[in-house]
Amino acid sequence: MSSRTPSAPAVARPGWGQAVATVLAGLLAMGVVAALGLWAAGAGDLPDGAFPRVVAATVVTAVGGVVRMSGDAGGLAETRAGVDVIPLSVTLAGALVIAAGFVRPLRQGSVSGAGELAGWAVRIAVPWLLALLGLSLGARQTFTISLGEGMISDIGDLFGITPEVGFAADVPLTLLCGLLWLAVVLVLAPLASRGAPLPGSLTRFQEAVRPAAYAMVMLLLVCVGLGLVVGLVAATTRGHPAETFAVLLLGLPNLAWLALTLGLGATWDGRVEGPFALPMPHVLDQVLRSSDVSAVNVGTLAEHDGRVWWLVPVAAVLVLAAAFVTAAGSPAGMPLWRHAVHMAVALALTVLLICLLGRVSASYGLSVLGIGELGGDLAGELFLRPRIWSALGLAVLWGLVTGLLGALLAKGLRWKGAG
């Protein structure tokens, strides 16, 4: 028997038009953020009208798509290039807009069952895949590399060597990864939205998962908000505003969430070699520019700037606040140990996500007549990768401790309220 009475007003189900609008709004947000960030980074001066194609490639990588680099320098030379980095500012902009559009029918009561929710997700997935296909086909470009001056340039002129490097999206893999990205967003959106009631068959997730999911999303967003404040202060007081805004518009979550893991005690390994202009704080650039692989943690960064130690108490306060939010939203009769376990699992999954999304690697090189890997501006390497297992172990430990403390605080407030 239907729960609606005959006199109840009919509620319009979300249709294809609303699905297309949700997808277009998400892609527009990502495109605007990517375009502004690339423009601030100087990509507007790229030759051959490449700027729109670079924007398309940036949006593709932001949703987990694969953009492959390629090089061609003729039979007497060889080029290599590769980039693996996710511009998480672009990712976050699209995820928030699409998530809001997906959750809106839940708030309005126009999606009431699990079947209807699945149908609504499919209606969003279809235009999403079509739009992603168009972006993937447009994300391709080739550039000519200058050999500079001196002997290498003379050799290139003598043998007619014109090295080129380009990029092109891997269309099938991009569609698959983009669909997985959308699925993650559409699953997390209703779980992390406390104001959107879940269908009856999914209410068990509302009590068991939603408080922790909501708290972790808030934790990540607060980190980004704090990073934005720091970035705006830096842009107004330290000069180079264009570079700073390029970082904020392309990689703010990359740095903010990296800082969170560092505050929890995690270590990342990295190195920079060559003329990379790094969109990151100077202290991190200092640590990474060494002759060998560098360990990036609070200790090594504090050797160059003692203010880095503030990451530890800030991370502690933020994680404890997330634990309190989780406990406050959980059923009142839940035992303390379960609060601690829920927080440990949630924080470990969050740190794992940061570790997977925050990896960075980039390299390029050119060799001519066997003179290879040429230095100077013709070769470079950059990578930053986490020590995942130690980061997860620390996250579990932090989660257990803060989960217990947060539950005690929430229980104390409930007792006061009852009194």
Side-chain angles (χ1 to χ4, degrees), residues 184-387:
V184 171
V185 171
L186 298 187
V187 168
L188 290 179
L191 288 178
S193 176
R194 292 197 300 187
L198 292 177
S201 60
L202 301 178
T203 52
R204 63 183 182 276
F205 296 105
Q206 187 162 316
E207 292 186 355
V209 179
R210 174 171 281 182
Y214 173 81
M216 292 301 103
V217 169
M218 290 298 102
L219 172 63
L220 295 177
L221 292 179
V222 169
C223 288
V224 172
L226 292 176
L228 178 60
V229 172
V230 173
L232 292 176
V233 171
T236 56
T237 60
R238 298 184 181 180
H240 308 289
E243 296 178 4
T244 302
F245 280 110
V247 175
L248 297 180
L249 290 165
L250 294 175
L252 175 58
N254 299 67
L255 295 176
W257 298 343
L258 168 66
L260 174 64
T261 64
L262 295 176
L264 297 178
T267 297
W268 295 60
D269 294 317
R271 185 188 180 193
V272 175
E273 181 182 16
F276 281 103
L278 295 181
M280 58 178 62
H282 181 61
V283 61
L284 183 56
D285 190 10
Q286 286 181 304
V287 173
L288 291 176
R289 289 192 184 275
S290 64
S291 58
D292 201 357
V293 177
S294 301
V296 179
N297 53 45
V298 174
T300 57
L301 293 172
E303 293 175 2
H304 299 270
D305 189 340
R307 292 173 296 180
V308 173
W309 285 112
W310 279 103
L311 292 178
V312 177
V314 170
V317 170
L318 292 179
V319 173
L320 179 58
F324 172 79
V325 170
T326 301
S330 299
M334 183 180 292
L336 293 179
W337 67 267
R338 185 168 294 178
H339 283 292
V341 170
H342 283 186
M343 184 62 190
V345 172
L347 188 60
L349 290 175
T350 302
V351 169
L352 176 61
L353 182 65
I354 295 173
C355 290
L356 295 177
L357 297 179
R359 294 169 176 264
V360 177
S361 68
S363 65
Y364 65 92
L366 171 67
S367 61
V368 180
L369 293 176
I371 307 173
E373 295 297 315
L374 302 176
D377 293 337
L378 302 178
E381 181 182 16
L382 159 67
F383 70 88
L384 183 64
R385 54 177 178 253
R387 298 181 185 176

Side-chain angles (χ1 to χ4, degrees), residues 24-333:
L24 290 180
L27 289 175
L28 179 62
M30 299 175 82
V32 169
V33 172
L36 291 176
L38 291 169
W39 176 78
D45 298 327
L46 290 172
D48 303 325
F51 183 71
R53 299 180 182 273
V54 175
V55 172
T58 303
V59 173
V60 165
T61 57
V63 298
V66 178
V67 176
R68 303 192 187 280
M69 306 293 291
S70 61
D72 181 20
L76 300 176
E78 181 182 357
T79 61
R80 66 168 181 84
V83 177
D84 182 13
V85 59
I86 300 176
L88 290 178
S89 291
V90 181
T91 303
L92 184 61
L96 291 176
V97 173
I98 292 177
F102 181 69
V103 168
R104 185 179 179 185
L106 287 175
R107 296 179 183 275
Q108 296 175 339
S110 54
V111 172
S112 58
E116 293 177 354
L117 185 62
W120 173 223
V122 170
R123 283 192 288 276
I124 289 179
V126 172
W128 170 257
L129 286 176
L130 293 175
L132 197 57
L133 175 62
L135 285 173
S136 300
L137 294 175
R140 56 185 67 238
Q141 183 69 35
T142 301
F143 303 96
T144 300
I145 302 175
S146 173
L147 294 177
E149 299 178 354
M151 181 186 69
I152 299 302
S153 179
D154 295 338
I155 294 175
D157 293 338
L158 178 63
F159 292 99
I161 297 171
T162 55
E164 294 180 336
V165 64
F167 64 85
D170 185 324
V171 177
L173 195 53
T174 293
L175 293 178
L176 176 61
C177 294
L179 185 60
L180 291 175
W181 179 89
L182 180 67
V184 171
V185 171
L186 298 187
V187 168
L188 290 179
L191 288 178
S193 176
R194 292 197 300 187
L198 292 177
S201 60
L202 301 178
T203 52
R204 63 183 182 276
F205 296 105
Q206 187 162 316
E207 292 186 355
V209 179
R210 174 171 281 182
Y214 173 81
M216 292 301 103
V217 169
M218 290 298 102
L219 172 63
L220 295 177
L221 292 179
V222 169
C223 288
V224 172
L226 292 176
L228 178 60
V229 172
V230 173
L232 292 176
V233 171
T236 56
T237 60
R238 298 184 181 180
H240 308 289
E243 296 178 4
T244 302
F245 280 110
V247 175
L248 297 180
L249 290 165
L250 294 175
L252 175 58
N254 299 67
L255 295 176
W257 298 343
L258 168 66
L260 174 64
T261 64
L262 295 176
L264 297 178
T267 297
W268 295 60
D269 294 317
R271 185 188 180 193
V272 175
E273 181 182 16
F276 281 103
L278 295 181
M280 58 178 62
H282 181 61
V283 61
L284 183 56
D285 190 10
Q286 286 181 304
V287 173
L288 291 176
R289 289 192 184 275
S290 64
S291 58
D292 201 357
V293 177
S294 301
V296 179
N297 53 45
V298 174
T300 57
L301 293 172
E303 293 175 2
H304 299 270
D305 189 340
R307 292 173 296 180
V308 173
W309 285 112
W310 279 103
L311 292 178
V312 177
V314 170
V317 170
L318 292 179
V319 173
L320 179 58
F324 172 79
V325 170
T326 301
S330 299

